[in-house]
Amino acid sequence: MQPPLIFDAHLDLALNAIEWNRDLTRPLAEVRAREAHLRDKPDRGRGTVTLPEMRRGRVAVCVATQLARLEHDAYSPVFGWRSPAQAWAMTQAQLAWYRAMEEAGEMIALRDGAMLAAHFARWRDADEATVARLPIGYIRSLEGADSLLSLDHLERAVAAGLRAIGPAHYGPGVYAQGTNTEGPFPPRGIELLRCAGELGLILDVTHLSDACFWQALELYSGPVWASHHNARALVPHQRQLADDMFKALVARGAVVGVALDAWMIIPGWERGQTTPQSAGLRLEKLVDHVDHYCQLAGNARHVGIGSDLDGAFGTEQTPQDVDSIADLQRLPALLRARGYSAVEVDGIMHGNFVRFLRKALK
């Protein structure tokens, strides 16, 4: 029996390729070796994501981001650019990388439900040798809207294939309040929601402040998801989804992707000090978040994977049993051990997001 296909709802592939200077077409061991001497990023020499590793793990489709935020506070530890023009230019460099990957046959943009279904069928019927040569499907999402110089730029991005948008990232933003901030959308953010709805985009509520989250659900009538969000009941932090938030998303037919960043999986994690070994962190703890969500929903139809495994961390901040993205294939056995059926496991690994997208990508 073939391992299940995987849909990963959140990877920052282009950011890693352009800003981290990683050739993601190369084997993971080579990428690690080439940057082992570098100290500019915490995950240097410990990255977990390359395109060959995605194929090895049967990650057939991902939501791939464009991300370029503004530096709103000169003393902020969160990376950013000094002007919207610079941020927009960086997203265009990232877009150029995705297109280069398409031209090389490494990736394929999936712009509608029919393309998504055909792509999964191609992967599902392929043997291991064929999978190693197949392009990885991707749906492009803008994580944080700071880079949009105007709403005309959003229309331009959609014409170029953008299919989802998350208005916020960390800290305050041009269009929304993000992680570790409070307050509602500014007027520009309200206009962004209106324009995104008219353009038929999926709204990603990840990183929104609590006030912005509830305001978005009230104002936005289009499809909504949370691409990478764990449960606040298990790890108390504003970055996580509270139970009433998750239930509200279920009522909207949304799917929530669970993330593999260690501090979001277990409480008390201190960056740079806690290690997966000292905390005894294994994938079983991530399954706790999956199970918590499924119990709240009363079914397993609203949870998937949004690994964020290349989101500025590596094996120093992943479960011990995750050395690469291919180790997501350890999840099915853990889910079955919790009593989830084969159909439910397939849904969590890919089916729930695919079902959502076949409706949302009209």
Side-chain angles (χ1 to χ4, degrees):
M1 180 183 297
Q2 291 274 31
L5 297 178
I6 293 175
F7 182 105
D8 191 331
H10 191 84
L11 288 172
D12 298 312
L13 296 175
L15 179 120
N16 278 258
I18 301 299
E19 292 195 54
W20 270 235
N21 194 19
R22 286 175 171 157
D23 183 353
L24 299 180
T25 68
R26 304 302 301 163
L28 181 60
E30 179 183 315
V31 173
R32 287 176 174 175
R34 292 189 65 174
E35 62 184 41
H37 66 289
L38 299 176
R39 298 291 180 269
D40 59 322
K41 309 290 183 184
D43 62 332
R44 286 300 192 191
R46 295 188 287 261
T48 61
V49 179
T50 62
L51 301 181
E53 285 299 298
M54 291 176 71
R55 294 187 184 95
R56 188 169 73 87
R58 294 176 64 81
V59 183
V61 180
C62 70
V63 177
T65 68
Q66 292 168 274
L67 170 58
R69 50 172 289 111
L70 289 188
E71 189 181 66
H72 294 279
D73 181 344
Y75 300 99
S76 171
V78 180
F79 58 88
W81 298 94
R82 298 289 175 85
S83 72
Q86 288 171 277
W88 170 259
M90 179 51 66
T91 64
Q92 299 316 289
Q94 293 169 4
L95 174 58
W97 181 81
Y98 286 125
R99 287 178 168 164
M101 290 299 98
E102 291 183 56
E103 291 173 4
E106 295 280 352
M107 300 177 71
I108 181 171
L110 305 176
R111 300 193 178 197
D112 57 47
M115 289 184 71
L116 178 68
H119 180 79
F120 262 100
R122 185 181 179 191
W123 272 70
R124 189 177 297 113
D125 296 337
D127 58 25
E128 186 174 342
T130 303
V131 163
R133 301 189 301 271
L134 288 179
I136 292 165
Y138 78 101
I139 294 131
R140 204 165 74 249
S141 178
L142 182 64
E143 184 177 20
D146 283 2
S147 62
L148 294 174
L149 295 169
S150 70
L151 296 183
D152 288 341
H153 286 76
L154 179 59
E155 292 187 32
R156 195 183 307 177
V158 172
L162 189 74
R163 291 296 177 266
I165 185 170
H169 193 236
Y170 279 88
V174 174
Y175 294 94
Q177 304 304 319
T179 297
N180 295 326
T181 64
E182 299 178 355
F185 283 96
R188 290 185 70 180
I190 302 296
E191 283 299 297
L192 178 75
L193 293 179
R194 178 194 58 75
C195 185
E198 291 175 354
L199 293 169
L201 287 169
I202 298 163
L203 180 68
D204 189 350
V205 298
T206 304
H207 284 297
L208 289 175
S209 70
D210 287 5
C212 282
F213 173 93
W214 291 112
Q215 194 176 14
L217 290 192
E218 178 184 350
L219 295 176
Y220 201 76
S221 60
V224 176
W225 68 20
S227 63
H228 55 306
H229 251 311
N230 292 353
R232 193 179 297 188
L234 302 183
V235 180
H237 192 280
Q238 182 255 5
R239 171 68 179 81
Q240 314 274 71
L241 284 176
D243 286 359
D244 58 345
M245 292 174 161
F246 178 77
K247 289 179 179 179
L249 289 171
V250 169
R252 289 287 294 268
V255 180
V256 177
V258 292
L260 276 84
D261 196 341
W263 80 266
M264 295 173 62
I265 302 174
I266 55 173
W269 185 278
E270 295 185 34
R271 286 187 179 89
Q273 297 185 34
T274 310
T275 67
Q277 293 73 27
S278 69
L281 176 59
R282 303 186 70 83
L283 273 172
E284 185 72 31
K285 293 294 184 180
L286 183 71
V287 177
D288 291 343
H289 290 264
V290 173
D291 191 56
H292 181 80
Y293 282 152
C294 291
Q295 298 305 322
L296 287 176
N299 58 64
R301 292 173 57 83
H302 296 277
V303 185
I305 297 169
S307 76
D308 198 21
L309 274 170
D310 56 2
F313 66 95
T315 54
E316 81 288 349
Q317 204 160 298
T318 64
Q320 295 177 67
D321 41 353
V322 175
D323 184 61
S324 94
I325 193 168
D327 290 318
L328 291 175
Q329 286 293 348
R330 297 178 183 272
L331 283 170
L334 296 173
L335 291 165
R336 288 192 295 268
R338 293 286 187 100
Y340 288 89
S341 70
V343 171
E344 290 170 329
V345 171
D346 277 353
I348 293 166
M349 300 305 288
H350 69 268
N352 293 336
F353 272 116
V354 172
R355 183 189 70 249
F356 175 95
L357 282 165
R358 291 196 68 177
K359 181 178 179 180
L361 293 180
K362 296 179 181 178

